[in-house]
Amino acid sequence: MTTKWVFGFDEVELAESQVDGDWDLVRALLGGKGANLGEMTRLGVPVPPGFTVTTAACNAYLAGTEGFPDGMWSQVLQALENVEHATDKRFGDPTKPLLVSVRSGAMFSMPGMMDTVLNVGLNDDVVKGMIALTDDPHFVYDSYRRLVQMFGAVVLGVRDEPFEDVMAAYRHRNGVATDAELSADDLRMIVDEFKDIVTRYSHTAFPTDPHTQLEMAIEAVFKSWNGKRARDYRDAAHIAHDLGTGVNVVTMVFGNMGEDCATGVAMSRNATTGEDNLEGDYLMNAQGEDVVAGTRATKPVADLAVEMPGMYREFEAIARKLETHYRDMQDMEFTIERGKLWILQTRNGKRTAQAAVRIAVQLADEGLISRKEAVLRVSPDQVDFFLHPQFSSDTKLSVGEPIASGLNVSPGAAVGVVAFDPDLAERWATQESKPVILVRPETKPDDVHGMLAAQGICTSSGGRTSHAALVARQFGKPAVVGAASLMIDVSARVMTVDGVQIKEGDWISIDGTTGEIFHGALETVIPDIEDEWLMRLLSWADEFRRLGVWANADYPHDAERARANGAEGIGLCRTEHMFFEPERLPIVRRMITTKSLGERRDAVNALLPFQRADFAGIFRAMDGLPVIIRLIDPPLHEFLPSFEDLTKDLSDLKIQLISSRNLPEIDSILGRVTEEQAMLERVEALRESNPMLGLRGVRLGILIPELTRMQVRAVFEAACEVAREGVDVLPEIMIPLTSHVNELSRQRGVLETEARAVMEEQDLEIPYKFGTMIEIPRAAITADELAEYAEFLSFGTNDLTQTTFGVSRDDAESGFLLQYLSEGILPSNPFATLDIGGVGRLMGLGVAGARATNPDIEIGICGEHGGDPDSIAFFDELKLSYVSCSPFRIPVARLAAAQAALNAETKN
Amino acid sequence: MTTKWVFGFDEVELAESQVDGDWDLVRALLGGKGANLGEMTRLGVPVPPGFTVTTAACNAYLAGTEGFPDGMWSQVLQALENVEHATDKRFGDPTKPLLVSVRSGAMFSMPGMMDTVLNVGLNDDVVKGMIALTDDPHFVYDSYRRLVQMFGAVVLGVRDEPFEDVMAAYRHRNGVATDAELSADDLRMIVDEFKDIVTRYSHTAFPTDPHTQLEMAIEAVFKSWNGKRARDYRDAAHIAHDLGTGVNVVTMVFGNMGEDCATGVAMSRNATTGEDNLEGDYLMNAQGEDVVAGTRATKPVADLAVEMPGMYREFEAIARKLETHYRDMQDMEFTIERGKLWILQTRNGKRTAQAAVRIAVQLADEGLISRKEAVLRVSPDQVDFFLHPQFSSDTKLSVGEPIASGLNVSPGAAVGVVAFDPDLAERWATQESKPVILVRPETKPDDVHGMLAAQGICTSSGGRTSHAALVARQFGKPAVVGAASLMIDVSARVMTVDGVQIKEGDWISIDGTTGEIFHGALETVIPDIEDEWLMRLLSWADEFRRLGVWANADYPHDAERARANGAEGIGLCRTEHMFFEPERLPIVRRMITTKSLGERRDAVNALLPFQRADFAGIFRAMDGLPVIIRLIDPPLHEFLPSFEDLTKDLSDLKIQLISSRNLPEIDSILGRVTEEQAMLERVEALRESNPMLGLRGVRLGILIPELTRMQVRAVFEAACEVAREGVDVLPEIMIPLTSHVNELSRQRGVLETEARAVMEEQDLEIPYKFGTMIEIPRAAITADELAEYAEFLSFGTNDLTQTTFGVSRDDAESGFLLQYLSEGILPSNPFATLDIGGVGRLMGLGVAGARATNPDIEIGICGEHGGDPDSIAFFDELKLSYVSCSPFRIPVARLAAAQAALNAETKN
């Protein structure tokens, strides 16, 4: 049996049966477009008749040197004959001419990368016949000149310029602006000139035989698979080079053959809002290109209901049918040729984040997809969109086109005045409170201070892993990079875009979500996190996820926001943040600097009411939900003035002293010197060469037990207070930085004694848990031992990543880590996405160890990775109890957790 | 069958058969002393007849309330009858009186903790009979008064003071200094007064019936097992409380019954030097206590050969027999009673480090023990002794007694002038180059600078885990702590010992090996590491060990010393140490501070010849042995002046500037300001908040590849150079601080290219290996991946401990770690002895992973733990290829490695 190289659009079932019904294999064989045209045909959607030459034929052709594989051409001729029957036209027959398009179509879409030839089948004879049939020489000659140009360019490799030059000359000669204004006669002469160009540049005459045209066009599409452009694209998109492309030969239909003709594109639902009605544009008596080119003002597709109500109803029904079939919103191309509607293409439509959410929810409501599928349809990034300022579509429309665009490397909208250097950006931002957009050819580590001060970042070069992109994402700054059309002249303090000059200090707006750059200050909006569709989607996600989603929150108002966003607990309340408040810091400093035990005790006691009030507020906000309170963690010197500042102050004071000739002034200066000197001594005593690895966490608790005892007292006094108000309070006390089980066992003893004492004083029993962070490799390795003294463990993946990698985040993220990322030594920033191969393995050991000791132990994670979708998938795999992340990331985490669970379900 | 509660010394075989010949169980049943007396009896050694009441009897007695267990007392009476037969004496019979001692004897020796009653069996009647028999009323009454006193104290709980008061009164009345000078009449009267004291204080009369004495004495010994003193001792020594004590009832023999009597103690070999001849002291006509008390001048045991040649020969034969039996040097007590030699006790003798080594080797030479046993007989600490300065025994003799003694917490001898405060110690040591001994009541973290500056440390309080002890051991400073008899008055700058005043600045000498403190400056010697016995012992150790022993050495002379001490390779050559040499540092600084790539390349090239020469020297020294060269590791700022110094200098310069009124001076100051400002900027740019986790190791190599390329070039140029000289050169290139396999794979590519280039230039092929350190937890976890790109791995356990624990050694070892150790939160300093439960587990994972990838991979360890015996045992368990340690620790490591292998052999 000879191989079947060619399938008519009506033979999709045959193709399907050849591959046992595996639709992926159908797409592999026919290409995405061919399979789709076949599928639509099977559905009874009016698709212009045609056929597909398989990817297998392409591969056989490319592998050999003998031209088309055996039998292919005869199968093409047979398929063409079938099309002739179906259309009642004949290829090359001037009396009822059949024209076809020849289009590539690989398994995966490679937009713009491969070639198409339209109007194949025209020659001088056919043209004459068509003019007779249509009485529209302008249309026919225009079609013909397009064929000659495309054929010349695509099949014979003639550059576009000579063709364009001819067109320009005719426009000039006739004093018109557009090609459409040229007369039929002009077009006829242009065809002749085009033929000459083809002959001259390719040393091959434009073939007059339609079959030769078809043969050469198919061959050209085959060859384009191995073109440099296509290969580069596949390399970048990780598409295999051995898939081959299919070739689709489709009957040409024309939307420009009169007033009973039209052409347009439409989405089955609103791609911006997600509303359930057709949305799109069309033109009467026009070709597809005209709609896209924007040379004529298009009409909204709703108008078609008035202009061609029958056509509109038919289209609407088809759209519904396709949506039902593909179970998603469709993006369709259609043409009405003399009152007959043809669908030329359908595919799942692109949409905004809001639309994605609404469409997914509504499709589920309509029963088209399950709720699980709805949850899987929306990406966490799309949910993230709701959490960043954005430009509204209206705002964008009002300012018109962006002046430039680049890579959308860090989402969100930012508006500010242009600053071309980081120092200026910093000065404007900090000293003049101006919003600034830092604009640079590219950024370097030296620029980071300016990047941090700016609202957004924009560069003219660099890619997704450039310094600017990494830093921007890191710090959540909107950024557009690699906007190559910006001509930045830093020394002249000006940039030029498309001839427009933008000076330092001028306003621009950048959209890091889309990569667009606008002149002027656009209005931003914060999308509605309480969007009803999002709320419903997330509530479904909540049903499917296994992981709890908790929040890191240090203040009552954080806790409230977290709860509003769906947090099921507080996974990390950092008690020391409370110490930095202006009214408290002096007490904290007194506590640290005094050498008198009594004074220290007094200072500690003075902090108690503050802490108690903070905790009470958080407990009230989290009524009925667990709150994990971490005892003091950072090194004490963080609460004191910096060594450098003190040294500088002292040096300044000494210089004042030398220059002063005034006794009272000298006395006053001396007083300050003494004071600062004393502080400096204490700061020096507390200085550490590596504070990250120094006296902090539980080590502090062991050395200054009165401090942690006070914190535990504050927790339990607050708990008793709110419990009396009727609040259901569930405190969990967390010891930071444990590395050895003995630290935990000792601290647990001390702190539980204090907790019991408070509960006895208050005559109230508060249920509570005691646990520790796992943020030191040794803690992960010995989690089996720690689990004996802990009801819960919480992975602090920020610190754990630092110690497991031996990397100080403070130093590395603006230093060698950037180089590691740009050189690909590390696949991603391990502080953003968990390093599964290293830190993850360690976590796995810790989880296994802890569960071996206590199968029911509560294990969570409270590092930044708790809000990162890729990391969340891993945490789900580890079967952690919950992830805890910033209140703003809660919705993202809820969705990501659900997707992780659903994907795991599919895998198993 | 009734239980056998009592075993005669001649029944040891019966006891042995009861427990199937398990000698440990015999000792458990009879106690160590009882088993030993039985064993000697079986060997035919003349032991005074007697019997043992078992530990089982003790336990049964203590468990019940009914007195002695059933049948015990009748067995005691029967055993006593057997002793009467053997001695032809009768208990309580004035005509041929039998006296016995009643002594405790538990399974493990508890010196001084338990009780003994001598001369049991005396009463007024028996005394009369004995006087008639001996014609020595002084001896008899003295024995009697001792019985009454001991019985009163031990059995009836009367305090010693009233007895001592009576003795003192008699001495005073007679105007004599010692009890021995009292007359027989006085002693008779004293006996009566003692009896009164017993009655008065215990409300019980001294029992006149010898059987009652015996019964009560046995009961008292049983009870003493549960005395507070004994319990405390067992807690401290980790001895179980349920073992019970045996009671030994032994016929009294007397060395003080005339000129044919003598008593003494002797070692079967010299305990100081290990020479093979009897060594000890004796007294004619004396009691054991007299020898120990030092009230009479003893004679060396060799003199006995002259005074009692027959006795001497018999003793010598017995000593040899016991040594042969116990297979070790014996420490024996003997008494000659009227020409009859009795051996009262034998045990393995204590000895000096030198003696331990020599005795072990000679016992093996004599075939008494195997070479394996010889290797196991000497502790690594004893080998360590050979590596520290010591006082010779002669020197010690010449100065007489130590003025005080304390705990020997850090070995070695130190001599210096007393300084009572750390600042003074530091000033004297650094500014006046005086050797100093820091003497403090106790030390605190604030004192560490003075401790480091001192030759040795001495405190009057504190124990083995006190701050002083920990820091001293840490830094290898000899130290004696807890010398309670030193009365230190820091404010008066003086200390008083036994009435002698020692002022600040006076010379003292301390022996950290023994805990002794001497007045004046003693001469120190460095023991002979080339001691022939040690060399032989180590050569045997080399046969038994599995682990290689390599050295950490940075310079040719280090490498030579290491090789002389037995190193089989260099496990770590730190290349950056070479950068700190005065002539090189300016070049290094230029390399770091320049912004010009060309200038940097020039500086790097200028360093090349230095490095090449260093490497060549090391290769020559290690001809035929592997040399692992680690590429540059520390952060660059370590090579620059400190930020603090620069800031201070600049501030000083500014003040000079203000006060200067002289133009050329101002210019000169301004020049220096500019220079220092530039350096400060560079230092600031390189500053890191946590340099330990910063830009160092392989990260430097990736950011400044020209530096590591230069180092590799230097290695291979040097290798080629020495290879041409005929040296067998085996370089191994080691990448530091790897945390991700990609770092290794990239660097390997770059560096192997350079290595190949050099070898091609030189037209020589040098065999080499490429590998990495494992000093970051992530590296250990992913060792399976690293092993794909490494022929060897080397655990850097210093850094690995820091990152695994999250502890900065710089900060912690003088800070919270000390508190952790003194509070027992950590069992030992993890930087000295490997933390097997944490770091060790991680190493285990790494080793397993690496071997899974490459079973033959070479894996070593080059942290300080490489010289620590406990850690070495663990490394042997991990089956590492080698340990690498400081050249001085090589002998210790060789022995420890052998012992680890032998112990493992025993276990399996």
Side-chain angles (χ1 to χ4, degrees), chain B residues 200-270:
Chain B
R200 202 157 65 244
Y201 282 84
S202 72
H203 307 290
T204 308
F206 172 75
T208 53
D209 174 13
H211 287 92
T212 306
Q213 290 171 11
L214 180 61
E215 186 184 351
M216 291 174 77
I218 291 174
E219 210 169 345
V221 172
F222 279 171
K223 284 182 185 160
S224 72
W225 176 256
N226 272 339
K228 181 172 178 345
R229 219 169 29 152
R231 295 197 76 92
D232 288 351
Y233 181 93
R234 290 198 300 271
D235 281 339
H238 302 293
I239 296 176
H241 292 302
D242 60 359
L243 295 175
T245 183
V247 181
N248 298 291
V249 178
V250 193
T251 304
M252 290 293 301
V253 293
F254 299 96
N256 55 347
M257 289 176 79
E259 287 311 306
D260 54 353
C261 296
T263 191
V265 294
M267 306 275 186
S268 60
R269 304 190 183 221
N270 189 306

Side-chain angles (χ1 to χ4, degrees), chain A residues 643-644 647-648 651 654-655 658-659 661 687-696 698-700 702-703 737 739-740 742-743 746 776-779 781-785 802-808 810-812 815-816 819-820 823-827 835-839 841-842 845, chain B residues 643-644 647-648 651 654-655 658-659 661 687-696 698-700 702-703 737 739-740 742-743 746 776-779 781-785 802-808 810-812 815-816 819-820 823-827 835-839 841-842 845:
Chain A
F643 179 83
E644 287 73 25
T647 314
K648 199 180 162 309
S651 147
K654 283 182 205 159
I655 291 172
I658 292 172
S659 16
R661 295 285 174 269
R687 265 183 121 196
E688 294 180 307
S689 47
N690 295 285
M692 183 58 62
L693 307 176
L695 181 56
R696 46 181 289 244
V698 65
R699 300 162 192 177
L700 270 180
I702 286 176
L703 263 65
L737 213 77
S739 61
H740 196 287
N742 290 351
E743 295 173 314
R746 304 257 170 141
I776 298 286
R778 197 181 187 285
I781 298 165
T782 61
D784 53 343
E785 295 169 13
Q802 293 198 94
T803 43
T804 303
F805 260 98
V807 163
S808 163
D810 290 342
D811 304 318
F816 72 88
Q819 185 151 348
Y820 270 38
E823 287 191 15
I825 293 175
L826 291 180
D835 160 46
I836 292 172
V839 180
R841 278 210 219 178
L842 200 51
L845 290 173
Chain B
F643 179 83
E644 287 73 26
T647 314
K648 199 181 163 307
S651 149
K654 282 182 203 157
I655 290 174
I658 292 173
S659 19
R661 296 286 173 272
R687 265 183 119 196
E688 294 180 308
S689 47
N690 296 285
M692 183 59 61
L693 307 176
L695 180 55
R696 47 180 289 243
V698 65
R699 300 161 191 176
L700 269 180
I702 285 175
L703 263 66
L737 214 80
S739 61
H740 196 287
N742 290 351
E743 296 173 315
R746 305 257 171 143
I776 298 285
R778 197 182 187 285
I781 298 165
T782 61
D784 52 344
E785 294 169 16
Q802 293 197 92
T803 42
T804 303
F805 259 97
V807 163
S808 164
D810 290 342
D811 303 319
F816 72 86
Q819 185 152 348
Y820 270 39
E823 287 190 17
I825 294 174
L826 292 180
D835 160 46
I836 292 173
V839 180
R841 279 209 219 180
L842 201 52
L845 291 171

Side-chain angles (χ1 to χ4, degrees), chain A residues 570-627:
Chain A
I570 300 296
L572 176 63
C573 171
R574 283 161 288 225
T575 51
E576 63 272 8
H577 281 202
M578 304 169 178
F579 289 178
F580 285 105
E581 309 257 308
E583 55 191 327
R584 308 178 191 184
L585 194 54
I587 308 176
V588 174
R589 289 193 172 166
R590 201 164 67 231
M591 174 186 79
I592 297 170
T593 51
T594 182
K595 290 187 178 173
S596 138
L597 270 179
E599 221 179 311
R600 169 174 292 177
R601 203 170 37 239
D602 290 348
V604 166
N605 289 339
L607 290 170
L608 176 64
F610 291 112
Q611 291 244 301
R612 188 174 50 216
D614 289 323
F615 294 144
I618 290 175
F619 288 148
R620 284 188 197 103
M622 299 306 286
D623 188 0
L625 296 177
V627 176

Side-chain angles (χ1 to χ4, degrees), chain B residues 143-431:
Chain B
S143 300
Y144 197 17
R145 73 98 192 162
R146 283 175 201 261
L147 169 63
V148 177
Q149 178 173 357
M150 281 190 189
F151 197 93
V154 170
V155 180
L156 299 171
V158 180
R159 287 178 306 122
D160 275 328
E161 286 87 343
F163 298 114
E164 298 296 343
D165 289 348
V166 168
M167 295 302 285
Y170 273 83
R171 282 197 306 270
H172 184 252
R173 197 177 307 154
N174 289 286
V176 299
T178 66
D179 297 343
E181 293 168 83
L182 295 173
S183 69
D185 259 8
D186 287 331
L187 291 169
R188 185 176 45 79
M189 286 184 289
I190 287 171
V191 167
D192 287 338
E193 293 202 29
F194 274 20
K195 285 186 188 163
D196 285 350
I197 290 171
V198 168
T199 309
R200 202 157 65 244
Y201 282 84
S202 72
H203 307 290
T204 308
F206 172 75
T208 53
D209 174 13
H211 287 92
T212 306
Q213 290 171 11
L214 180 61
E215 186 184 351
M216 291 174 77
I218 291 174
E219 210 169 345
V221 172
F222 279 171
K223 284 182 185 160
S224 72
W225 176 256
N226 272 339
K228 181 172 178 345
R229 219 169 29 152
R231 295 197 76 92
D232 288 351
Y233 181 93
R234 290 198 300 271
D235 281 339
H238 302 293
I239 296 176
H241 292 302
D242 60 359
L243 295 175
T245 183
V247 181
N248 298 291
V249 178
V250 193
T251 304
M252 290 293 301
V253 293
F254 299 96
N256 55 347
M257 289 176 79
E259 287 311 306
D260 54 353
C261 296
T263 191
V265 294
M267 306 275 186
S268 60
R269 304 190 183 221
N270 189 306
T272 308
T273 63
E275 282 166 290
D276 181 17
N277 42 40
L278 284 179
E279 188 215 6
D281 306 289
Y282 76 100
L283 282 171
M284 297 296 289
N285 195 16
Q287 282 192 293
E289 299 151 61
D290 301 329
V291 177
V292 178
T295 41
R296 282 169 60 188
T298 58
K299 297 180 185 176
V301 77
D303 287 7
L304 193 66
V306 180
E307 290 199 298
M308 301 173 97
M311 290 289 97
Y312 182 78
R313 276 195 302 277
E314 189 182 346
F315 181 64
E316 209 174 28
I318 289 169
R320 184 63 68 193
K321 179 187 259 182
L322 287 172
E323 206 180 55
T324 305
H325 180 73
Y326 287 107
R327 305 164 65 249
D328 201 357
M329 184 262 262
Q330 294 298 300
D331 175 353
M332 298 156 293
E333 290 177 21
F334 65 93
T335 288
I336 298 169
E337 183 186 80
R338 295 190 166 156
K340 165 72 181 157
L341 175 65
W342 298 102
I343 305 296
L344 304 180
Q345 173 151 321
T346 191
R347 57 187 171 192
N348 295 342
K350 301 237 180 297
R351 65 207 77 181
T352 65
Q354 290 113 311
V357 170
R358 178 165 178 175
I359 290 170
V361 172
Q362 288 196 313
L363 288 177
D365 283 347
E366 292 161 20
L368 233 54
I369 59 175
S370 69
R371 289 180 172 186
K372 287 183 182 177
E373 284 174 295
V375 164
L376 287 168
R377 285 276 173 95
V378 176
S379 76
D381 283 350
Q382 285 172 320
V383 171
D384 190 38
F385 165 89
F386 287 86
L387 311 169
H388 293 284
Q390 306 289 347
F391 299 126
S392 71
S393 335
D394 290 352
T395 308
K396 279 195 189 173
L397 280 181
S398 72
V399 297
E401 291 298 305
I403 52 167
S405 64
L407 296 170
N408 54 338
V409 294
S410 184
V415 177
V417 295
V418 171
F420 290 117
D421 82 68
D423 297 333
L424 181 68
E426 190 181 44
R427 201 167 68 242
W428 277 353
T430 59
Q431 291 176 17

Side-chain angles (χ1 to χ4, degrees), chain A residues 327-515:
Chain A
R327 306 166 63 250
D328 201 358
M329 184 263 261
Q330 294 299 299
D331 175 355
M332 299 156 291
E333 290 176 22
F334 66 93
T335 287
I336 298 169
E337 182 186 79
R338 294 188 168 157
K340 165 75 181 156
L341 174 67
W342 297 102
I343 305 296
L344 304 181
Q345 171 151 323
T346 190
R347 57 186 170 193
N348 294 342
K350 300 240 179 294
R351 64 205 77 179
T352 65
Q354 287 113 314
V357 168
R358 178 164 179 174
I359 290 169
V361 171
Q362 287 195 313
L363 288 178
D365 283 347
E366 292 161 19
L368 235 52
I369 59 174
S370 68
R371 290 182 170 184
K372 287 183 182 179
E373 284 174 295
V375 165
L376 286 167
R377 285 275 174 96
V378 176
S379 75
D381 282 351
Q382 286 172 320
V383 171
D384 190 39
F385 164 89
F386 287 85
L387 312 170
H388 294 285
Q390 306 288 348
F391 299 126
S392 71
S393 336
D394 289 354
T395 310
K396 279 196 190 175
L397 281 180
S398 72
V399 296
E401 290 298 304
I403 52 168
S405 63
L407 297 169
N408 54 339
V409 293
S410 184
V415 177
V417 295
V418 171
F420 290 117
D421 81 69
D423 297 332
L424 181 69
E426 191 182 43
R427 200 167 66 243
W428 278 353
T430 58
Q431 291 174 18
E432 305 182 23
S433 301
K434 277 189 199 169
V436 175
I437 306 289
L438 178 67
V439 179
R440 302 278 291 165
E442 59 189 348
T443 63
K444 296 190 308 298
D446 290 352
D447 301 340
V448 170
H449 60 292
M451 300 171 77
L452 292 180
Q455 296 295 310
I457 296 139
C458 178
T459 69
S460 57
S461 64
R464 296 204 171 270
T465 54
S466 64
H467 178 267
L470 294 172
V471 174
R473 275 201 296 277
Q474 181 55 47
F475 296 106
K477 300 277 174 191
V480 176
V481 306
S485 63
L486 303 180
M487 302 295 145
I488 304 175
D489 184 341
V490 173
S491 55
R493 321 305 283 184
V494 71
M495 66 176 168
T496 313
V497 199
D498 256 348
V500 178
Q501 284 208 333
I502 298 178
K503 291 192 297 294
E504 196 151 47
D506 287 356
W507 287 84
I508 65 170
S509 303
I510 65 171
D511 188 338
T513 310
T514 62

